[in-house]
Amino acid sequence: DAGVIQSPRHEVTEMGQEVTLRCKPISGHDYLFWYRQTMMRGLELLIYFNNNVPIDDSGMPEDRFSAKMPNASFSTLKIQPSEPRDSAVYFCASSPGTSGGAIQETQYFGPGTRLLVL
Amino acid sequence: SQQGEEDPQALSIQEGENATMNCSYKTSINNLQWYRQNSGRGLVHLILIRSNEREKHSGRLRVTLDTSKKSSSLLITASRAADTASYFCATDANDYKLSFGAGTTVTVRA
């Protein structure tokens, strides 16, 4: 398996622009997670999905952030409008869930998208 | 919010030495996991220990869990330069949602 795929790997944009981050989880995984990592706040869970349904979005900073999972193989995280304080590395991770047996809770991370908002 | 807190924040050791880092957490857990992050990369799962387990081994890694003290330790034996990375503990309260600590940065000197 190719692992979790994220695109783009790097994004530089100007304040006020819309940013869309994409994620393809590992095939067969039931859970998908979006995280944000900064030096100041560490690794924060933004939202996670189970079988394409959002379960907990309490970590989403504000209404400017939205996430969707239209099918089992694709998810997007959108920031509109973007602000300089959104600059961070955004990770997508997936987990087998109940189909994973002994490793059901293990999370597999993508390489991340490094976002810089000027 | 971060539940797991690692100690120390940073660790520098000579190749071949052992590295030990600790993790403390606040609330009851179903399992505790350790992840490694190399600079500029995503996190990689190392080991998972369940709340009813006390010790687990995987290659050069040894993890302990003391639920009475709400703490865990990760020992890397015979360290190598390739072990240079940040190490994170993460707790799972039985809902597949992980709460990560701030991490321990380990530098292995050749």
Side-chain angles (χ1 to χ4, degrees), chain B residues 56-76:
Chain B
K56 208 160 182 181
H57 296 255
S58 177
R60 294 183 296 111
L61 305 180
R62 173 179 169 254
V63 169
T64 64
L65 179 65
D66 187 335
T67 53
S68 66
K69 295 181 179 177
K70 291 187 169 59
S71 68
S72 173
S73 68
L74 171 67
L75 168 68
I76 305 172

Side-chain angles (χ1 to χ4, degrees), chain A residues 4-58:
Chain A
V4 175
I5 298 172
Q6 291 187 248
S7 65
R9 294 293 309 277
H10 302 272
E11 177 84 22
V12 180
T13 191
E14 292 189 345
M15 184 174 64
Q17 296 297 306
E18 178 180 294
V19 174
T20 300
L21 310 181
R22 297 174 176 79
C23 174
K24 177 178 168 51
I26 293 173
S27 177
H29 281 195
D30 294 337
Y31 286 82
L32 183 139
F33 306 83
W34 281 101
Y35 292 91
R36 177 172 69 177
Q37 186 177 37
T38 61
M39 289 294 292
M40 289 296 294
R41 300 175 66 89
L43 196 63
E44 303 173 278
L45 176 66
L46 300 177
I47 184 170
Y48 77 101
F49 297 81
N50 176 217
N51 292 322
N52 313 338
V53 176
I55 302 301
D56 185 344
D57 65 354
S58 59

Side-chain angles (χ1 to χ4, degrees), chain A residues 65-82:
Chain A
F65 286 68
S66 62
K68 293 182 180 178
M69 192 165 185
N71 57 62
S73 59
F74 184 65
S75 177
T76 59
L77 178 67
K78 189 173 291 188
I79 309 173
Q80 166 64 17
S82 58

Side-chain angles (χ1 to χ4, degrees), chain B residues 4 16 29 35 64 90 109:
Chain B
I29 61 171
Y35 287 78
T64 64
R109 306 186 306 272

